[in-house]
Amino acid sequence: QVQLVESGGGLVQPGGSLRLSCATSGFALDYYGIGWFRQAPGKEREGVSCISRSGASRDYGDFVKGRFTISRDNAKNTVYLQMNNLKPEDTAIYYCARRAGRRYDCRMTVDEYDYWGQGTQVTVSS
């Protein structure tokens, strides 16, 4: 069955870095775009980044401002999110998700994603 498993979260000081991984199984990753989303307590889930099935198209939330980089390694069935210069407001549960429909572009519309991981907690605090 389709599975996405996030890892790499944790506690980091402001200004620090983390690399999140999204390990996928049960489907051919190279046919699908993948997105990263986050949800903080009391807030709606928001798009962090997405990458198209080929990797040629990538997008980021406005709040990222050059701090995060998304990448994919189809041979390893894994998508990564490198997060640098983390801020306390980045604290949230981070989820990866598969974009439905084998589309070629990249969009961070929550309703367009059909399978989700369980999430990994990222806490930025001194």
Side-chain angles (χ1 to χ4, degrees):
Q1 71 274 27
V2 173
Q3 286 190 317
L4 298 96
V5 180
E6 303 92 339
S7 62
L11 174 63
V12 64
Q13 292 186 342
S17 298
L18 286 173
R19 188 175 82 155
L20 304 184
S21 297
C22 174
T24 70
S25 60
F27 65 99
L29 179 61
D30 50 352
Y31 283 111
Y32 292 90
I34 297 292
W36 283 98
F37 298 82
R38 70 184 188 184
Q39 189 165 19
K43 294 187 177 181
E44 292 188 353
R45 191 167 296 191
E46 64 178 347
V48 177
S49 183
C50 63
I51 187 167
S52 63
R53 54 188 284 183
S54 70
S57 178
R58 309 179 193 197
D59 198 10
Y60 299 92
D62 291 342
F63 56 85
V64 170
K65 295 181 181 178
R67 299 182 296 130
F68 299 176
T69 302
I70 191 170
S71 62
R72 61 191 295 154
D73 185 340
N74 290 342
K76 295 183 178 179
N77 295 315
T78 303
V79 176
Y80 304 97
L81 184 69
Q82 177 67 42
M83 304 189 297
N84 298 328
N85 191 21
L86 284 160
K87 304 175 181 181
E89 52 264 42
D90 294 318
T91 295
I93 299 175
Y94 283 70
Y95 301 89
C96 64
R98 188 186 81 168
R99 187 156 181 240
R102 299 190 178 190
R103 305 177 193 192
Y104 287 91
D105 62 343
C106 166
R107 284 175 37 162
M108 293 181 285
T109 305
V110 172
D111 292 346
E112 293 183 358
Y113 288 79
D114 57 358
Y115 287 91
W116 294 76
Q118 82 291 344
T120 186
Q121 177 70 47
V122 171
T123 302
V124 185
S125 175
S126 55

